[in-house]
Amino acid sequence: MAAAALLRPRAGSGGAEAVWRAQRRQRSTFDVVVVGAGIVGLASARELVRRHPSLAFAVLEKEQELAHHQSGHNSGVIHSGIYYTPGSLKAKLCVEGAALCYEYCDQKGIPYKQCGKLIVAVEQDEIPRLKALYKRGLQNNVPGLKLIGTKEIQAKEPFCRGLMALDSPYTGIVNYKQVAQAYAADFQEAGGTIFTDFEVTNMEMAKESSSESEDGLKYPVIVRNSKGEEIYCRHIVTCAGLYSDRLSEISGCSPEPRIVPFRGDYLVLKPEKSYMVKGNIYPVPNPRFPFLGFHFTPRMDGSVWLGPNAVLAFKREGYKLFDFNTGDFLDAVSYRGLWKLVLRNMSYGVNEMYRACFLSAQVKQLQKFIPEVTVNDVLRGPSGVRAQALDSDGNLVDDFVFDGGSGDIGSRILHVRNAPSPAATSSLAIAKMIADEVKQRFEL
């Protein structure tokens, strides 16, 4: 495409269609611009326009379609809020967000399945950790939790073996790309504008002497894309996922926490073997390791995903094993925080890389839970890339981070620096918090 495109509303939205046609005739000034059309950016834009219907809002997305990266490459699980530290934003927003997600899907007719989840202990030394998870889930007000034994595990998952499990009946699955597209439709129907193929490369204050001096006074921030096209606005909210640190640097704000991309590769059960898994089956997380480990995830299309692993991606949007970008690679390996993380988790990292290369090694992990699974029952499946925020000491930034800056432009920007899993589950709750923050910071 030669220029940024205005995303057309879906058919049947008469009022939104008229607005879209008017906007097409050249509208480039907005009160608030949201950068990033993933599920968090779209949910936030939707919440903002609903709260402030008299203001003009736009969403800028560098791809030609919405929810193209993390929001369209995830497991699709509606998490219940078990794992997260009591009192943390992750815990609060996940429990609230899951309830809002189910309610929204019911309102919009978006299909989902509340298929539940078992967190299964297969070794004796995992049982104390499982019981601690149960207590944590109760503290987080997760509904319906209970500990079950071997017979109850097999009643729920006939092919699964385990000593004890934490049963979470409130966990579900949904197609988050469909949810994100519904958010976008709501946003447009409320008068919002979405520009696709608009890769933001610069943000700066308008010069008072410019020919656009009137706009420069009312809309003092210029957002420019890779083609030199400009949009004027009063305030910016960035929800850029894998590029959140780079957009922060572009705007003159702090480069930390830094984003280091980790690729997760899934296997898929062959269709004729999908009967082996009814709901989500997860391992008991090991606190010594930074990621959850292999799990079984049914999908809305009837398939079953297995995994993922977690290996360093050599490209921020690199979904294939050999995808490589020199700048992304050097950016990651030159960061001291990554090396500190690697040195602390060397054996874990080596094992993950080994499993990424050898199918049998991944299947061996799965056989701890379903012994009947063999190499012949699985295929290599899709991959996703996780935007993992790291601090300079090599610590995974585990909670949501919101950031701004000082000076003329920094004070007009709110950066959503880290929106980790379960951000998709929590998206509507996160959007409420972002809208509160925007109102307070920008005095809308």
Side-chain angles (χ1 to χ4, degrees):
M1 299 175 76
L6 271 168
L7 187 70
R8 190 171 194 145
R10 60 188 177 188
S13 305
E17 175 80 7
V19 170
W20 177 80
R21 290 185 183 281
Q23 288 166 347
R24 246 188 118 184
R25 288 194 291 268
Q26 190 59 45
R27 180 179 178 182
S28 60
T29 57
F30 299 91
D31 293 291
V32 179
V33 163
V34 177
V35 181
I39 196 166
V40 172
L42 291 168
S44 301
R46 171 186 176 273
E47 183 68 21
L48 285 165
V49 77
R50 283 158 61 94
R51 290 195 191 188
H52 307 282
S54 63
L55 300 182
F57 293 89
V59 172
L60 310 181
E61 168 55 43
K62 74 183 183 68
E63 303 295 346
Q64 294 183 22
E65 62 179 272
L66 309 180
H68 186 63
H69 290 293
Q70 288 187 105
S71 303
H73 290 82
N74 59 55
S75 62
V77 175
I78 303 173
H79 293 281
S80 60
I82 296 168
Y83 299 104
Y84 318 117
T85 304
S88 67
L89 274 177
K90 279 181 91 168
K92 174 182 178 295
L93 295 174
C94 183
V95 174
E96 180 187 350
L100 291 171
C101 183
Y102 284 127
E103 182 183 348
Y104 183 80
C105 289
D106 285 335
Q107 289 173 353
K108 295 292 180 178
I110 297 172
Y112 65 86
K113 295 177 184 175
Q114 205 165 309
C115 55
K117 172 166 74 175
L118 295 181
I119 302 174
V120 182
V122 295
E123 304 287 349
Q124 284 289 343
D125 64 359
E126 293 176 333
I127 291 177
R129 298 205 303 271
L130 187 70
K131 290 180 177 178
L133 266 186
Y134 172 61
K135 291 179 181 176
R136 177 173 279 198
L138 293 180
Q139 286 179 281
N140 290 340
N141 298 313
V142 177
L145 291 181
K146 61 180 179 177
L147 290 168
I148 62 175
T150 301
K151 289 184 179 179
E152 290 171 290
I153 292 171
Q154 290 196 294
K156 287 181 173 289
E157 292 285 355
F159 292 89
C160 182
R161 302 293 179 267
L163 303 174
M164 183 182 286
L166 178 54
D167 180 14
S168 173
Y170 196 61
T171 302
I173 55 173
V174 73
N175 182 338
Y176 279 119
K177 192 158 191 171
Q178 191 174 356
V179 174
Q181 288 166 341
Y183 293 167
D186 289 347
F187 175 67
Q188 288 182 299
E189 286 164 13
T193 306
I194 298 176
F195 293 89
T196 55
D197 200 31
F198 195 107
E199 182 176 1
V200 174
T201 56
N202 189 33
M203 307 172 200
E204 64 183 24
M205 298 299 292
K207 295 179 175 63
E208 289 185 26
S209 60
S210 74
S211 58
E212 302 283 347
S213 57
E214 188 176 336
D215 278 347
L217 292 172
K218 188 176 179 184
Y219 303 100
V221 181
I222 302 174
V223 183
R224 191 173 289 112
N225 71 6
S226 53
K227 302 177 185 120
E229 297 167 329
E230 296 177 346
I231 282 177
Y232 285 73
C233 63
R234 292 168 55 208
H235 306 286
I236 301 172
V237 178
T238 70
C239 301
L242 285 156
Y243 292 92
S244 62
D245 55 342
R246 291 185 181 171
L247 275 185
S248 182
E249 280 194 273
I250 285 171
S251 70
C253 297
S254 171
E256 290 199 9
R258 290 275 287 277
I259 295 299
V260 176
F262 283 88
R263 194 183 72 252
D265 303 314
Y266 286 92
L267 304 178
V268 178
L269 270 181
K270 289 182 177 178
E272 63 269 24
K273 295 291 182 175
S274 294
Y275 66 87
M276 293 172 128
V277 178
K278 296 183 180 299
N280 294 281
I281 303 172
Y282 276 59
V284 179
N286 189 329
R288 293 188 296 118
F289 300 139
F291 300 113
L292 273 180
F294 269 61
H295 40 270
F296 299 74
T297 304
R299 301 278 293 174
M300 288 302 297
D301 63 4
S303 63
V304 177
W305 287 12
L306 316 168
N309 58 4
V311 295
L312 180 67
F314 298 145
K315 182 180 179 182
R316 291 206 179 192
E317 294 163 354
Y319 299 105
K320 297 177 182 176
L321 182 61
F322 297 109
D323 282 351
F324 184 86
N325 178 279
T326 303
D328 290 348
F329 175 73
L330 292 176
D331 198 31
V333 299
S334 64
Y335 184 49
R336 65 176 183 172
L338 175 63
W339 286 107
K340 290 183 178 181
L341 176 71
V342 168
L343 292 172
R344 282 203 301 267
N345 298 277
M346 183 66 76
S347 62
Y348 176 85
V350 169
N351 287 333
E352 286 292 283
M353 291 177 68
Y354 177 78
R355 284 193 286 267
C357 296
F358 297 99
L359 207 62
S360 59
Q362 295 182 58
V363 171
K364 189 175 180 180
Q365 294 294 308
L366 300 169
Q367 288 172 335
K368 293 178 181 179
F369 304 91
I370 299 183
E372 287 87 348
V373 173
T374 69
V375 173
N376 295 325
D377 296 330
V378 301
L379 303 167
R380 290 199 179 274
S383 298
V385 178
R386 172 178 178 162
Q388 180 58 59
L390 271 183
D391 67 22
S392 58
D393 292 323
N395 300 311
L396 303 182
V397 180
D398 195 43
D399 217 337
F400 298 94
V401 177
F402 302 96
D403 190 15
S406 57
D408 288 341
I409 191 164
S411 62
R412 291 180 174 273
I413 297 177
L414 173 65
H415 293 292
V416 181
R417 297 298 304 273
N418 192 44
S421 178
T425 298
S426 309
S427 56
L428 289 173
I430 295 170
K432 290 176 181 292
M433 187 174 64
I434 289 173
D436 289 343
E437 190 75 16
V438 166
K439 183 177 181 180
Q440 180 182 337
R441 290 195 184 209
F442 302 152
E443 299 179 351
L444 291 186

